[in-house]
Amino acid sequence: MNGRLSNATIAKLPAEALVPRYPRNSVTPGIVHLGVGAFHRAHQAAYVDACLADGESDWGIVGVSLRSPDTRDALKPQDGLYTLAIRDSAGEQLQVIGSIQSLLVAPEDPGAVLAALTDPRIRIVTLTITEKAYLRAADGSLDSAHPDIVHDLANPGSPKTAHGFLAESLARRSIAGTPPFTVLCCDNLPANGATLHRLLIEFAKLRDADLERHVADEVAFPSSMVDRIVPATTDADRTRIGQQLGVEDAWPVMTEPFRQWVIEDRFPAGRPAWERFGVTMVEDVGPFEDMKLRLLNGAHSGIAYLGLLSGHATVDRAFADPSIRQFVDRLWAEAIPTLPQDAGLDTTAYTAELAARFSNTALAHRTAQIANDGSQKLPQRIVASALARLEAGLLPEHLSLVVAAWIAACAARGGALPEGHFTDPLDGALNELFSRNLPTATLAEAVFDIAGFARGHAERQRLIEFVATHLVHFKQGGPALAFAALD
């Protein structure tokens, strides 16, 4: 290979590889992104790259890792460049993305991150920090007792959390007379902008009443819905892409051709013209978000846990299993009536598109990757739909089975599944429950208690009963018996 991907080697790439169509040295920063992982690089960074190529040169991205230096260490020698490998069953298109100008690691230099966030040129802060990094208590409020929150309140100049960085930088901008940036959440949270706004108001209130009022009244938090499947990059991917490019890329990103971004159009400080490149700008993202969470993400969770319990390592193999394929169709049939019926959603076309995406053999999207953090994901993906059906006098047979499959898959680690095959923030409490050999009904209720599923809901006990029944079937005969009991 002829060295490493970088500004110096990009001209040597083969003609079939797409490269940035703009002078990178003329780009200035306009966005700070917190949580610069693979999804951001396949999604928001790619949309911004298109805007830069269209002449909007003041929207470069400063990427911030809140925990690990891995992304910075991989991309800094590459001048922030990386390859996006867009794959489907027909082939692969390689595109080099140049929208990330610089990369910072918060634990190493929180001051540098705050300096970036207070730069007057920064008008938008985007986030993909995963559900668990929002540090919510069981009731959805800010977990004010979390050690990192306690630290940030005591040490505002050296924060650890997104909350701390956002609050301190907004406070400094206000003191300096710099208008606030818009905060654009891109994580899979219900009403993600409103949710983050509420959490940051709670955090600011613990600091200062004036800051609380500023965050509540002066800062925009539009909600958004994001969608693109991004499997984990493997060493085989790195080798294959390096051979195709003729240069080494330490961290290319794998993805599918499909991408979607729906955003509430509230940006007082301005924004890129994303709509030119397929982004849907709307007044209310809620119906689109519900459809994605309940049909795509809900099905993904079902495929992941049922696939793991059935011995399928990837989504396409699990989806090719006739029992799982039929299950997903029935899961969709249960979830669709819980969606807004007057929002113009085309669920028939959407589920047909999802079926094609799940069948993509080129992605090799690992079921174990999707299975991570189920206790954080299932409430909005599955539990909300199940409760809505019960409220309407309908049965949540397939929805409740996904919750049971998650519990069964968690319990199977160290036995039928490898130890640590996937992880969950509640692993310690879950493993303690599993070690007690509790009666199935007691176990189901205890899991609901520690996960906070359906807390305070009138239909909670009925949902637990459905889950417990499915758990009995999983224990007695695995997925085959669980599926058979549905017919």
Side-chain angles (χ1 to χ4, degrees), residues 317-338:
R317 293 177 189 173
F319 198 62
D321 182 324
S323 296
I324 295 177
R325 179 69 181 83
Q326 182 183 64
F327 175 85
V328 171
D329 281 336
R330 294 179 176 181
L331 182 75
W332 284 334
E334 285 189 0
I336 286 170
T338 73

Side-chain angles (χ1 to χ4, degrees), residues 214-272:
H214 180 65
V215 172
D217 299 337
E218 305 296 332
V219 186
F221 285 76
S223 290
S224 77
M225 187 275 279
V226 299
D227 190 5
R228 199 171 206 183
I229 295 172
V230 184
T233 301
T234 66
D235 288 339
D237 293 325
R238 290 182 175 87
T239 299
R240 183 188 73 258
I241 288 169
Q243 290 172 344
Q244 291 181 54
L245 294 179
V247 296
E248 178 189 357
D249 183 347
W251 206 333
V253 179
M254 309 299 110
T255 195
E256 61 174 336
F258 179 90
R259 64 179 185 175
Q260 186 179 23
W261 200 2
V262 184
I263 308 174
E264 292 175 350
D265 200 359
R266 293 186 285 112
F267 291 82
R271 63 169 176 80

